[in-house]
Amino acid sequence: MEIAKQYDPKQAEQHHYERWERNGFFAPEINKDPGAPVFSIVIPPPNVTGSLHMGHALQHTIMDVMTRHKRMCGYRTLWLPGMDHAGISTQLMVSRALKREGKTRHDLGREKFVERVWQWKRESGGQITVQMRREGASVDWSRDKFTMDEDLSRVVREVFVRLYDEGWIYRGNRIVNWCPQDQTVLSDLEVEKQPQAGKLYYLQYPIKNSDERVTVATTRPETMLGDTAVAVNPKDDRYRELLGQTIMLPLTGREIPIIADEYVDPEFGTGAVKITPAHDPNDYEMGLRHNLPQVIVIDSHAKMTAGAGADFLGLDRYKARDKVVDDFAALGLLDKVVDYDFSISKCERCKTVIEPLISTQWFMKMDQLRDLALDLMSREDKPRFVPETPYKKVYTDWLENLRDWTISRQLWWGHQIPAWYTPSGETIVARSEEEAREKAGTSELTQDPDVLDTWFSSALWPFSTLGWPADTDDLRTFYPTSVLVTARDIIFLWVSRMVMMGMKFIGKEPFQDVFITGTILDAQGQRMSKTKMNGVDPVDVFDKFGVDATRLTLAQVGSTDIRWNEKQVESYRNFANKIWNAARFCLLNSEGAEVKPEILEQSAALPDRWIVSRLNKTARDLNAAINAYEFHGAVQTLYHFFWDDFCDWYIELAKADVTAEEPSAARTEARTRLLTVLEQALRLLHPFMPYITEELWQRLPGDKRLHPAYQGAEPTVMLAAYPEGAASLIDEAAESEMQAIIELVSRVRNIRSEMNIKPAERIPIVVGSPDENLRRIFSAARDQVSRLVRASKISVLERLEAPKASARAVLTGGGAEVAVPLEGLIDFEQERRRLQREQEKLQAEAAKLEAQLSNPNFVSRAPAERVNEVRERIAAIAQQSSQLQQTVENLQ
Ligand SMILES: [Zn+2]
């Protein structure tokens, strides 16, 4: 048997994926069982501009673990991949490339520009699909989708037309969030609020026919040029007299009313507020309630318009602010300016301060759609969020406060709105220009230049990818999907909208469960971000430690937030090496033996019954953990089984039989059992560590059956049955007996190391236990225990009888005690001195730490974590020291 000494992840990563994909293992059609249960996931489509980051790697790992697990359980499995056209990001990227050629998109014109984007997509888009192959993601590439593909675009138009016909999509004038830099409207979710240290300006407005003035407070004095009222709270006694009077608005010569509205907060500023309906969302609403005119004073480039007056026309909004303040001061109308902290709205992408503007946009009415989602939750408790807290509440709270969705964007890259205008100004909404001409009775049509928000097509993803509106096999088979795996920051942008659209158009929820992953933070606990340059590139981690080790690290993140720690990946790389070395040992000692599942059901010696029991219990625990989305627990279970139970105990116990020089029935049986247990362990590991398991599984000789659903497929661990764990093979008695032996061996090994007994030295052991059963177990295991601890003699007695100079230990539960007589094994005097020195070293360290703790400067200034570390270390030293003391006493 040829097998390399060292595991080489790169070599395994290179050829297995290609073979899996070529053989169609990822496609649901590989499953030939017509009655197979179904498992499906649609991938959250990454941006076509994107490359793999830790968030993707985490989500993909979890989706792949679930998909591979279900596939091995015999499910007809589909994990559907695809990409999002990412409207603004992609348009910006191509615009930047044009800029380097000294051109703008306007030089090219819309058609050429869009063609250029497609060219970019063909040449450099979708880098992430290459990286996903490296990850081992078992997605069905034959069903790969792109949101701008013709079939998906057709779905977008279909949905738009249907919603428009029902009156759920409309075009209107509304105040919107406008980015003066990107020249487009933004949805509320694309705007980020940031704290800002600014100023609050107190401006005095003269009352007509009076010497009195009303003082209003504002953070944006330049908008006063567009004021059309001053408002006070009707319950505010200070202003009761003023209601019904008017104000001569400075700098404009306009006369504006003083009105009462309950939304005015009497506590803010002076309790009187200026109202600018055209440039503030709250004022806009108030303006509608009171029929106030909308005076537009700022344009889409954030410059002042003619409406602001000749003195201001063309000024930038911040220049205009300074001028308004100067003019008020000159007129003696500037009351005061104070420092003021408030939150400012910025464009999520370019960080330009957004300008609320009134503009004509397309909107989607959300009230009825929202009710579809809320009803689904209240009636059927769907979708099920994992973890339920806090996400279920976050989701429903948001739905309850939903406003209409601005769906048009002033971009060229995206789904152009399927609305056409006739020369007489009529609006025709249709599935195609041809249909629009028919409806309009004219071919003189102009299509609306805007495109739809990228999230419009994403909201349709779970059914647009499965062939809707046609009644396809895929739609009937895979919708609703089983689970959505995503990050918490797109619950609103994406998850809720998919639920609403799925309910509206299919009448069923798009997914049963929503698993929200945790977030991987950098080592300092900060979010990884491109701008902060603190991200870790998953591909670098793959190169350094291998994909399997990285996947194991990511899988155990599950739904918690963690700080990235390379040591963790390193430890799983060591685990991969451990697997390799264990398998190598089994294979190098496999002559005459092969994998034979029946052997695990035959009666056998205690260690054999024990490992079979552990194997089956592990399988049961794993299935339960994966089905419950408890990935952290699943990884721990696997790790513990393979490293501790299988490698450290079972292989050690079986070694003598397996490596016997002479061929014998006993040797063959031992080898067969070892290979068979290993084969099942590799299957259990496979969803988490696909590469190393395939690499090793392929080398195992013997009866390696595929799951019956995959009859006739090429051999691969991917399609072998996931062990379920047979209740009949779980042997609690064997487990507790082995546990006692493991304890005994561990205690004696501890004693050997504490007492500095030479590794080659054989030692006598005395075990005392009043428990007859335990005595029987220890007596029966004499040979094995002797080998594991290098014992010269093992006495098992009812009561511990050992010389005074013995090292002793009590086994957990107190059922037995063990002693190692030390006479003749060690030089007592020398050992006492060594222990004494160790004791002194510990005491010195403790004294130093105590001094640190009694220093008030340290305690008050050091980070709490560091202070805790010191306290914990002192406690650990105290314990170590008392153990040493005990040992020294035993040497008297
Ligand atoms: Zn912007």
Side-chain angles (χ1 to χ4, degrees):
M1 173 59 63
E2 285 287 310
I3 176 164
K5 271 196 149 155
Q6 285 262 318
Y7 175 49
D8 177 4
K10 284 213 182 85
Q11 187 268 338
E13 287 158 23
Q14 266 159 20
H15 71 269
H16 292 305
Y17 194 92
E18 195 271 329
R19 173 173 171 269
W20 294 330
E21 189 181 344
R22 180 164 32 85
N23 279 288
F25 294 163
F26 302 151
E29 287 75 17
I30 192 79
N31 189 312
K32 304 294 183 213
D33 172 10
V38 172
F39 180 82
S40 61
I41 308 188
V42 289
I43 203 168
N47 288 350
V48 63
T49 49
S51 60
L52 196 72
H53 58 58
M54 272 298 170
H56 296 125
L58 168 60
Q59 289 178 13
H60 296 170
T61 296
I62 286 175
M63 283 184 263
D64 198 43
V65 166
M66 290 196 275
T67 306
R68 285 180 184 270
H69 172 245
K70 283 292 186 299
R71 192 183 287 116
M72 291 175 77
C73 290
Y75 282 62
R76 182 180 313 283
T77 305
L78 171 63
W79 179 13
L80 188 143
M83 274 188 295
D84 194 280
H85 65 283
I88 301 186
S89 314
T90 312
Q91 175 155 334
L92 278 178
M93 173 167 289
V94 175
S95 298
R96 274 198 294 271
L98 281 176
K99 201 173 171 191
R100 286 193 288 276
E101 299 166 20
K103 287 190 221 150
T104 71
R105 67 188 162 109
H106 299 282
D107 294 335
L108 266 69
R110 183 168 189 144
E111 208 171 308
K112 286 251 163 54
F113 178 79
V114 169
E115 181 38 48
R116 176 81 188 241
V117 180
W118 277 108
Q119 186 195 334
W120 171 86
K121 192 235 171 201
R122 280 190 296 271
E123 287 165 8
S124 18
Q127 202 198 341
I128 198 164
T129 60
V130 177
Q131 297 169 320
M132 281 177 63
R133 286 177 162 88
R134 174 84 186 274
E135 284 180 306
S138 62
V139 297
D140 179 8
W141 292 110
S142 73
R143 284 174 169 82
D144 195 16
K145 299 289 179 194
F146 180 51
T147 48
M148 284 290 282
D149 283 344
E150 184 42 40
D151 49 345
L152 271 66
S153 301
R154 212 179 306 129
V155 175
V156 165
R157 293 194 296 270
E158 182 67 33
V159 164
F160 189 97
V161 171
R162 290 196 194 184
L163 290 176
Y164 179 81
D165 288 346
E166 289 190 55
W168 293 16
I169 281 180
Y170 64 94
R171 188 169 184 244
N173 274 320
R174 288 274 303 271
I175 195 152
V176 295
N177 305 304
W178 183 267
C179 175
Q181 171 66 34
D182 294 333
Q183 286 291 299
T184 183
V185 67
L186 302 173
S187 75
D188 291 346
L189 293 168
E190 293 163 304
V191 170
E192 58 185 36
K193 302 256 186 207
Q194 282 181 357
Q196 167 99 355
K199 305 253 182 248
L200 191 61
Y201 302 84
Y202 286 76
L203 307 178
Q204 295 177 344
Y205 287 180
I207 293 167
K208 194 183 177 189
N209 299 329
S210 159
D211 295 334
E212 281 184 63
R213 296 163 178 180
V214 180
T215 303
V216 296
T218 179
T219 57
R220 303 196 58 196
E222 69 279 13
T223 61
M224 64 75 53
L225 298 164
D227 283 359
T228 55
V230 165
V232 298
N233 191 297
K235 296 196 185 83
D236 193 336
D237 291 336
R238 292 173 294 179
Y239 298 110
R240 188 152 290 165
E241 306 279 294
L242 292 181
L243 289 176
Q245 303 214 48
T246 59
I247 276 164
M248 291 309 298
L249 188 65
L251 313 184
T252 68
R254 282 191 288 115
E255 187 177 336
I256 61 173
I258 298 173
I259 59 170
D261 192 295
E262 296 194 336
Y263 278 81
V264 177
D265 174 9
E267 305 293 319
F268 174 78
T270 61
V273 293
K274 56 191 280 311
I275 303 298
T276 323
H279 297 288
D280 179 279
N282 295 320
D283 292 5
Y284 175 84
E285 299 292 334
M286 201 183 292
L288 292 183
R289 285 198 291 278
H290 297 271
N291 252 327
L292 298 174
Q294 299 164 344
V295 175
I296 293 170
V297 294
I298 302 172
D299 70 11
S300 65
H301 294 275
K303 290 204 173 8
M304 306 310 283
T305 66
D311 289 353
F312 291 90
L313 173 63
L315 281 187
D316 168 81
R317 55 185 162 174
Y318 298 113
K319 289 264 162 43
R321 175 175 304 177
D322 296 341
K323 183 167 163 50
V324 165
V325 173
D326 289 348
D327 289 359
F328 265 75
L331 292 167
L333 296 174
L334 183 63
D335 188 38
K336 60 180 174 180
V337 181
V338 299
D339 288 337
Y340 185 63
D341 296 334
F342 60 108
S343 79
I344 196 159
S345 299
K346 292 188 173 173
C347 170
E348 188 189 37
R349 257 163 315 95
C350 75
K351 312 299 174 197
T352 303
V353 174
I354 67 127
E355 188 60 50
L357 288 185
I358 289 179
S359 87
T360 306
Q361 301 289 344
W362 288 90
F363 298 91
M364 193 186 293
K365 268 203 213 160
M366 300 308 282
D367 43 358
Q368 293 173 75
L369 284 168
R370 178 231 357 247
D371 288 346
L372 289 176
L374 283 174
D375 286 352
L376 179 71
M377 185 57 91
S378 62
R379 226 178 38 236
E380 299 177 47
D381 217 10
K382 284 181 189 166
R384 182 168 74 103
F385 280 89
V386 183
E388 186 178 309
T389 309
Y391 301 116
K392 180 179 172 183
K393 189 168 182 328
V394 163
Y395 168 84
T396 46
D397 282 358
W398 184 76
L399 282 174
E400 278 159 5
N401 296 298
L402 199 51
R403 298 202 302 174
D404 285 2
W405 174 16
T406 316
I407 51 174
S408 45
R409 293 290 182 277
Q410 288 64 53
L411 300 171
W412 285 353
W413 175 241
H415 300 103
Q416 194 169 352
I417 289 177
W420 286 263
Y421 305 109
T422 66
S424 58
E426 203 192 337
T427 303
I428 311 288
V429 168
R431 290 166 184 80
S432 64
E433 180 150 11
E434 205 179 4
E435 191 185 302
R437 282 199 200 114
E438 254 167 54
K439 280 187 176 172
T442 169
S443 54
E444 276 183 79
L445 294 174
T446 323
Q447 189 172 2
D448 193 298
D450 290 353
V451 301
L452 289 165
D453 180 0
T454 299
W455 294 102
F456 190 99
S457 50
S458 319
L460 316 176
W461 185 247
F463 57 88
S464 64
T465 51
L466 296 174
W468 187 87
D471 181 22
T472 59
D473 277 352
D474 271 9
L475 190 64
R476 267 181 275 124
T477 309
F478 299 113
Y479 190 98
T481 62
S482 310
V483 56
L484 178 79
V485 176
T486 191
R488 61 177 159 245
D489 50 359
I490 52 176
I491 291 177
F492 308 144
L493 281 167
W494 193 44
V495 179
S496 66
R497 287 168 178 167
M498 283 191 284
V499 174
M500 291 186 259
M501 291 300 186
M503 291 307 291
K504 171 71 183 158
F505 290 99
I506 315 291
K508 267 190 246 164
E509 72 279 5
F511 24 76
Q512 287 152 15
D513 295 350
V514 179
F515 181 77
I516 304 289
T517 60
T519 306
I520 298 175
L521 307 167
D522 74 3
Q524 278 71 46
Q526 302 285 313
R527 274 189 94 94
M528 293 186 179
S529 86
K530 265 190 201 155
T531 40
K532 276 189 262 169
M533 308 273 287
N534 63 344
V536 175
D537 185 343
V539 175
D540 292 343
V541 186
F542 295 162
D543 288 342
K544 197 163 170 192
F545 298 107
V547 170
D548 287 332
T550 315
R551 286 172 59 114
L552 213 52
T553 311
L554 293 170
Q556 58 132 38
V557 170
S559 58
T560 53
D561 289 357
I562 61 137
R563 293 179 181 200
W564 183 251
N565 177 3
E566 219 178 72
K567 286 260 174 287
Q568 182 80 74
V569 201
E570 199 182 333
S571 83
Y572 287 132
R573 194 260 326 265
N574 298 343
F575 182 52
N577 289 337
K578 186 86 178 171
I579 296 170
W580 184 265
N581 293 337
R584 186 167 180 273
F585 170 81
C586 300
L587 286 166
L588 291 176
N589 295 288
S590 64
E591 201 192 304
E594 58 175 30
V595 173
K596 208 168 171 187
E598 310 82 63
I599 197 166
L600 301 188
E601 291 169 31
Q602 291 167 14
S603 64
L606 173 64
D608 303 327
R609 281 182 283 125
W610 171 76
I611 196 65
V612 170
S613 180
R614 289 300 311 136
L615 175 69
N616 283 278
K617 207 181 251 185
T618 300
R620 287 171 87 85
D621 290 351
L622 269 173
N623 281 294
I626 297 171
N627 289 334
Y629 305 106
E630 285 160 8
F631 300 102
H632 183 85
V635 171
Q636 298 309 313
T637 302
L638 267 174
Y639 185 91
H640 169 71
F641 170 74
F642 201 92
W643 193 301
D644 301 336
D645 296 343
F646 184 63
C647 294
D648 283 358
W649 294 106
Y650 189 66
I651 292 185
E652 288 307 314
L653 286 164
K655 217 169 215 168
D657 291 338
V658 169
T659 56
E661 288 278 327
E662 291 300 313
S664 70
R667 190 182 81 169
T668 304
E669 194 189 315
R671 289 179 170 191
T672 301
R673 189 173 284 108
L674 194 59
L675 285 174
T676 307
V677 172
L678 173 67
E679 194 266 343
Q680 293 207 17
L682 292 177
R683 282 192 258 153
L684 290 174
L685 285 161
H686 176 75
F688 298 86
M689 307 180 84
Y691 290 116
I692 190 172
T693 49
E694 180 77 314
E695 183 72 24
L696 291 170
W697 191 86
Q698 293 291 350
R699 294 161 191 259
L700 295 183
D703 183 8
K704 299 176 297 176
R705 292 169 218 169
L706 297 188
H707 188 286
Y710 307 112
Q711 291 283 312
E714 292 282 307
T716 171
V717 64
M718 261 192 76
L719 303 179
Y722 202 73
E724 289 171 18
S728 60
L729 294 177
I730 292 176
D731 185 338
E732 296 292 354
E735 294 217 17
S736 74
E737 288 182 19
M738 258 309 283
Q739 195 49 45
I741 294 169
I742 286 171
E743 276 242 9
L744 176 64
V745 169
S746 306
R747 294 297 139 132
V748 176
R749 282 175 174 170
N750 269 351
I751 290 173
R752 288 194 73 117
S753 95
E754 267 172 25
M755 301 311 303
N756 231 4
I757 298 170
K758 289 187 202 81
E761 194 85 62
R762 292 201 166 268
I763 55 174
I765 295 171
V766 186
V767 185
S769 173
D771 182 336
E772 194 190 330
N773 193 36
L774 275 178
R775 288 203 303 278
R776 181 185 57 76
I777 294 166
F778 293 141
S779 304
R782 254 194 198 110
D783 288 354
Q784 278 131 346
V785 174
S786 291
R787 249 186 315 107
L788 293 174
V789 301
R790 293 192 71 77
S792 51
K793 179 172 180 248
I794 300 183
S795 323
V796 180
L797 310 167
E798 208 173 328
R799 278 182 46 241
L800 191 72
E801 287 165 21
K804 190 158 178 288
S806 298
R808 294 156 195 260
V810 177
L811 270 59
T812 308
E817 212 178 337
V818 58
V820 177
L822 298 167
E823 192 66 57
L825 279 178
I826 55 173
D827 178 334
F828 281 34
E829 195 43 47
Q830 196 187 336
E831 194 56 22
R832 249 198 309 270
R833 278 202 303 275
R834 186 184 70 84
L835 294 169
Q836 214 72 56
R837 277 196 303 278
E838 209 146 294
Q839 185 74 284
E840 280 157 19
K841 244 184 2 208
L842 285 176
Q843 295 310 326
E845 189 189 346
K848 216 162 110 192
L849 294 172
E850 295 281 4
Q852 226 172 8
L853 273 192
S854 60
N855 177 352
N857 273 339
F858 172 76
V859 178
S860 61
R861 287 187 197 156
E865 271 172 54
R866 174 71 195 129
V867 176
N868 270 337
E869 265 173 36
V870 170
R871 293 214 166 97
E872 278 166 23
R873 178 65 193 143
I874 289 175
I877 289 175
Q879 208 194 337
Q880 243 177 307
S881 167
S882 93
Q883 265 169 16
L884 270 183
Q885 194 53 41
Q886 185 62 50
T887 314
V888 172
E889 276 164 25
N890 285 340
L891 293 180
Q892 300 305 323

